[in-house]
Amino acid sequence: MAGFKGMLADTTPLRTPAFRRLWVANIITVIGAQLTVVAVPAQLYAITGSSAYVGLAGLFGLVPLIVFGLWGGALADHFDRRVLLIVTTLGLIVTSGCFWAQAAAGLDNVWVLLGVFSLQQACFAVNQPTRTAVLPRLLPEEQLPAANALNMTVMTAGAIAGPLVGGALIPVVGFSWLYLIDTLTLLATLSAVIRLPRLPVEGRTGSPGLRSIVDGLKYLRWHVVVLVGLGLDLVAMIFGMPRALFPEMSHVWFGEPVEGGLVYALLFIGIPLGALLGGVFSGWYSRVRRQGLAVIVCIVIWGVAIAAFGLAISLAPLWRTPMLVVAIAMLALGGGADMASAAFRQTMLLAAVDDTVRGRVQGVFLVVVVGGPRLADVLHGLAAEWLGAPLTAALGGVLVVVITLAVAGPVTAFRRYTVEVAETAR
């Protein structure tokens, strides 16, 4: 029994009131956010009937993520991070309300939808690195792996509940109700960030302009371990994230209507389901010393799982239900591996840098972590027009494995990266 408890998530960070309030608010907010994640591509596909347009959302999200992710990190290293969180959370509420307004008005305009999406991603790009950068100010370093796992567990739990509810509700109530729920649930996060203590940056210098961003990038170039970790995440997401193909897969290979349905929802929850299980049984994360090697192994598992997922979808016309089960199982396997990889990489990144540049480094991390899937949406959507959705996904998974081993294998500093673990985690 003691061994089983040791595998369960470490909840020690929840003893800190400020972190606990943020975490509980996320439980409410993330479900609404995932409803929007499901609704946007589904609405785009319903309007256009094209995976290429669904993939175009990745481009419209990528540009503001890059620009405001890097600038947002500079802002987080200059202004009080609590104030910045309040302002950007208000921005997220406003943009979510705009999603509701365009759907309720029945505009069915691709460019209005993509424009609002870009504005939302700009707010998110400033909010997220700021939110992560405050963790070392709220918690001791040895609790960071557990805190990262807890945060990601909530995100993935919402990523399961949101698509299930959204996929079921879209044909019944339409898109506007999903956007409205997202708008209302964001009020919980606003309440939590308002109650944070003041979080000025210690020892801040200069202004949050272009020079500050460049200085942050220069700081990063000396950290080979961090750079390789960021590069591996880009490889895993760009080549191995097939979510832009889910609308086409559910419609063409499983016969659902273009606006989606149960299969569409099940495909969307596959990866977060595995990540949720990985988070629930994340107690071992804090006991892993060779975190660099662990990241490599996890990303290879992710690539293999995505390749197998594409193969299962290609066989769906022959054995529809069995192949759907296999496909979701492979997505779940990949999600569990990605959860562990992300927790290790985030911990390495938070522990390796100073507080004066932590916001800018988290801005770069956001560009990689969120921008990678956006770029994947574009590339997968275009490739599927030529290769078909199943082959595109399968080839992407193979490329993840090959490139990961080629990039990380020769870098001894990353492969042998080791950390000390807390006594309570041993």
Side-chain angles (χ1 to χ4, degrees), residues 248-256 313-317 320 388-390:
E248 179 180 344
M249 287 175 171
S250 69
H251 175 56
V252 175
W253 273 266
F254 293 94
E256 289 196 323
I313 294 295
S314 69
L315 297 174
R320 180 167 292 184

Side-chain angles (χ1 to χ4, degrees), residues 120-247:
Q120 183 199 57
Q121 293 304 292
C123 295
F124 176 79
V126 180
N127 180 277
Q128 196 61 29
T130 307
R131 188 185 183 96
T132 307
V134 306
L135 288 183
R137 297 282 299 277
L138 302 178
L139 300 167
E141 183 176 321
E142 63 270 16
Q143 292 183 19
L144 292 179
N148 288 322
L150 287 170
N151 280 338
M152 286 184 283
T153 300
V154 170
M155 294 294 292
T156 52
I160 294 171
L164 278 177
V165 175
L169 288 181
I170 287 173
V172 179
V173 301
F175 299 110
S176 61
W177 276 98
L178 273 64
Y179 295 133
L180 180 60
I181 293 171
D182 184 18
T183 305
L184 296 176
T185 56
L186 279 165
L187 297 175
T189 292
L190 180 62
S191 174
V193 297
I194 287 175
R195 298 176 66 187
L196 285 172
R198 290 183 66 253
L199 294 167
V201 180
E202 299 174 352
R204 69 182 182 186
T205 58
S207 61
L210 180 60
R211 184 178 182 84
S212 178
I213 296 173
V214 172
D215 288 343
L217 294 174
K218 288 181 178 179
Y219 180 90
L220 261 183
R221 71 182 179 183
W222 301 111
H223 291 270
V224 175
V225 170
V226 173
L227 286 176
V228 172
L230 293 173
L232 290 181
D233 187 76
L234 276 176
V235 170
M237 292 297 102
I238 290 175
F239 296 105
M241 176 56 78
R243 67 184 181 186
L245 308 178
F246 292 166

